[in-house]
């Protein structure tokens, strides 16, 4: 593996050769201008060692309890190896990834997916069916049509153009999980012709889970791992306190942040701050509603979800973002999802919180505020 990790703009994910280099990564920054992603509080204990790097167009950061001061080079290599494996399986930005080759394959071709890919696809389909397709892993063609898919220069601003309605309608007829012929037992997936998978609404969370699982298997009893604001903790700090996690609500001020204590579990946030464009005064989010083929139109600005697994937190953050404030809250109540929904602050919402309105689900209040 080279000393410069492959960088991707969207949440892609999985697979690489077994050898892993020891890249010197740039220091991680949890702060985003105008947006506060998840961060850690009170991490001054010298027994907590830090590593960071780059992946999927963002930063990853690890806080690892290392009271015995074991060497950290093998840990850096392990983390980067897992992340590269994710990219090689599930990155639409990688020309030779499994997902890209499936998307470009001929009609009628049957693919036997790697176990990790199959696991993520199965989870995505579970939430697709349960949410009425608020999350759909087979909308890659529409994502690309809107300009949010792979492009030659990932850092290039959006072209700020809306696609023709006829093209959207055409792709809606050929996209969607109803067109997937998937055998979970054999991990076989049929390409019906022109269907494109996109796992950006779930795969980054799975990457977090997989890194944590590999670290646990290597004997690391406690830590916190984060990719671009999605994180998972396990164990506890050396002083036996839980991890303190700061979660952003999309507001501009630090005092708007939510600070929660957590020992084991994961957080994921979905929001429209990073990827959006404006045409004729209309803001278009990067989050597409698979049911309409259009960017979400409601007032919801961000959603943060807590779950035992980051993969499911990631998927559910996307689901609630698409459903919007009212339907999202109803879905969260029905399925006992711990979540915080922050709106842009228009009239008609409740619970003023700074310049925006923040709604907390009963499951969130019970877990973190009761």
């Amino acid at each position: 593996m080279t000393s410069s990790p492959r960088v991707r703009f969207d949440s892609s994910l999985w697979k690489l050769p077994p050898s892993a280099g020891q890249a010197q990564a740039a220091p991680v920054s949890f702060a985003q201008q105008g947006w506060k992603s998840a961060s850690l509080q009170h991490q001054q204990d010298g027994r907590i060692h830090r590593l960071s790097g780059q992946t999927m167009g963002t930063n990853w950061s690890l806080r690892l309890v290392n009271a015995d001061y074991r060497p950290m080079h093998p840990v850096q290599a392990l983390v980067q190896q897992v992340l590269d494996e994710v990219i090689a399986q599930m990155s639409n930005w990688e020309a030779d990834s499994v997902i890209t080759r499936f998307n470009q394959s001929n009609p009628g071709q049957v693919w036997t997916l790697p176990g990790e890919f199959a696991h993520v696809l199965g989870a995505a389909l579970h939430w697709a069916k349960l949410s009425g397709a608020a999350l759909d892993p087979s909308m890659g063609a529409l994502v690309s049509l809107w300009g949010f898919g792979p492009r030659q220069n990932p850092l290039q601003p959006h072209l700020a153009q809306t696609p023709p309605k006829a093209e959207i309608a055409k792709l809606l007829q050929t996209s969607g999980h109803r067109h997937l012929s998937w055998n979970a037992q054999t991990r076989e997936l049929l390409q019906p012709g022109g269907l494109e998978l996109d796992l950006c609404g779930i795969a980054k969370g799975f990457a977090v889970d997989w890194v944590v699982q590999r670290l646990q298997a290597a004997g690391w009893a406690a830590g916190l791992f984060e990719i671009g604001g999605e994180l998972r903790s396990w164990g506890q700090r050396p002083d036996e306190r839980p991890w303190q996690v700061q979660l952003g609500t999309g507001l501009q001020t630090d005092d708007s942040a939510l600070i929660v204590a957590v020992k084991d579990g994961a957080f994921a946030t979905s929001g429209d701050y990073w990827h959006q464009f404006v045409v004729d005064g209309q803001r278009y989010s990067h989050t597409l509603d698979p049911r309409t083929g259009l960017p979400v139109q409601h007032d919801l600005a961000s959603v943060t979800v807590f779950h035992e697994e980051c993969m499911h937190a990631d998927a559910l953050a996307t689901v609630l973002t698409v459903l919007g404030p009212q339907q999202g809250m109803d879905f969260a109540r029905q399925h006992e999802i711990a979540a915080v929904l922050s709106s842009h602050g228009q009239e008609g919402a409740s619970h003023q919180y700074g310049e925006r309105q923040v709604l907390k689900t009963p499951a969130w209040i019970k877990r973190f505020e009761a």
Side-chain angles (χ1 to χ4, degrees):
M1 195 176 82
T2 66
S3 60
S4 179
R6 290 174 291 184
V7 175
R8 291 294 168 266
F9 187 70
D10 275 343
S11 44
S12 32
L13 292 72
W14 292 72
K15 192 166 187 180
L16 124 151
S19 61
Q22 299 174 4
Q24 296 298 319
V28 67
S29 172
F30 289 103
Q32 301 283 347
Q33 183 179 3
W35 186 280
K36 302 299 181 184
S37 57
S39 62
L40 307 183
Q41 302 294 306
H42 314 303
Q43 302 300 319
Q44 305 303 320
D45 194 319
R47 294 167 293 180
I48 299 176
H49 290 191
R50 305 184 182 196
L51 292 174
S52 61
Q54 292 181 315
T55 189
M56 308 171 199
T58 186
N59 297 314
W60 65 260
S61 179
L62 174 65
R63 304 295 189 267
L64 202 59
V65 175
N66 187 16
D68 296 330
Y69 292 85
R70 294 161 57 186
M72 298 299 287
H73 292 297
V75 177
Q76 181 100 22
L78 173 62
V79 171
Q80 198 63 57
Q81 178 184 8
V82 173
L83 295 175
D84 281 358
E85 290 188 24
V86 171
I87 287 172
Q89 282 194 34
M90 302 183 216
S91 173
N92 297 76
W93 297 79
E94 199 72 20
D96 61 348
S97 68
V98 175
I99 195 168
T100 297
R101 288 186 284 124
F102 171 84
N103 289 346
Q104 297 176 352
S105 61
N106 296 324
Q109 187 171 350
V110 177
W111 289 72
T112 301
L113 300 182
E116 298 84 8
F117 194 138
H119 179 64
V120 174
L121 179 61
L125 291 174
H126 167 79
W127 292 116
K129 296 173 183 176
L130 204 61
S131 67
L135 170 74
D136 196 315
S138 56
M139 306 300 287
L142 276 160
V143 171
S144 295
L145 179 66
W146 278 92
F148 293 119
R151 51 191 181 274
Q152 188 173 5
N153 181 4
L155 300 180
Q156 181 181 357
H158 194 278
L159 294 178
Q161 296 177 350
T162 57
K165 294 181 179 180
E167 292 188 32
I168 296 173
K170 180 180 178 181
L171 287 181
L172 278 174
Q173 295 301 314
T174 57
S175 302
H177 68 275
R178 67 186 185 280
H179 295 290
L180 286 177
S181 179
W182 166 239
N183 188 322
Q185 299 299 319
T186 62
R187 307 200 312 272
E188 291 181 332
L189 181 64
L190 172 69
Q191 170 59 269
L195 188 140
E196 297 184 20
L197 296 177
D198 186 320
L199 299 175
C200 290
I202 187 171
K204 185 168 68 173
F206 177 68
V208 172
D209 289 334
W210 200 22
V211 168
V212 170
Q213 290 164 7
R214 291 288 296 274
L215 289 172
Q216 290 175 320
W220 296 99
L224 193 152
F225 182 67
E226 179 256 3
I227 303 177
E230 299 190 7
L231 60 88
R232 179 171 172 174
S233 67
W234 74 103
Q236 59 187 6
R237 293 165 43 87
D239 56 13
E240 298 185 352
R241 289 188 298 159
W243 300 98
Q244 298 291 316
V245 180
Q246 177 176 307
L247 304 166
T249 60
L251 301 177
Q252 300 283 343
T253 57
D254 289 335
D255 59 3
S256 68
L258 302 170
I259 299 177
V260 298
V262 62
K263 179 179 178 182
D264 296 286
F267 298 91
T269 297
S270 177
D272 67 2
Y273 184 84
W274 293 288
H275 305 305
Q276 58 175 290
F277 65 98
V278 177
V279 176
D280 297 330
Q282 173 69 44
R283 184 183 67 248
Y284 292 92
S285 168
H286 77 118
T287 302
L288 295 184
D289 186 336
R291 301 165 299 181
T292 65
L294 303 174
V296 294
Q297 299 293 314
H298 52 66
D299 189 43
L300 201 57
S302 73
V303 174
T304 295
V305 173
F306 174 84
H307 195 278
E308 286 74 13
E309 298 181 36
C310 200
M311 175 181 70
H312 293 298
D314 194 4
L316 287 168
T318 301
V319 166
L320 299 184
T321 297
V322 170
L323 290 177
Q326 188 57 56
Q327 292 184 18
M329 179 61 73
D330 292 343
F331 185 87
R333 288 176 179 272
Q334 179 183 358
H335 299 284
E336 299 182 341
I337 299 167
V340 177
L341 291 76
S342 174
S343 77
H344 282 288
Q346 295 179 358
E347 295 180 358
S350 59
H351 303 298
Q352 282 294 135
Y353 195 85
E355 297 178 355
R356 298 189 178 185
Q357 294 110 18
V358 172
L359 295 171
K360 302 173 184 178
T361 67
W364 180 280
I365 294 172
K366 179 179 180 181
R367 184 173 190 96
F368 296 110
E369 301 181 12

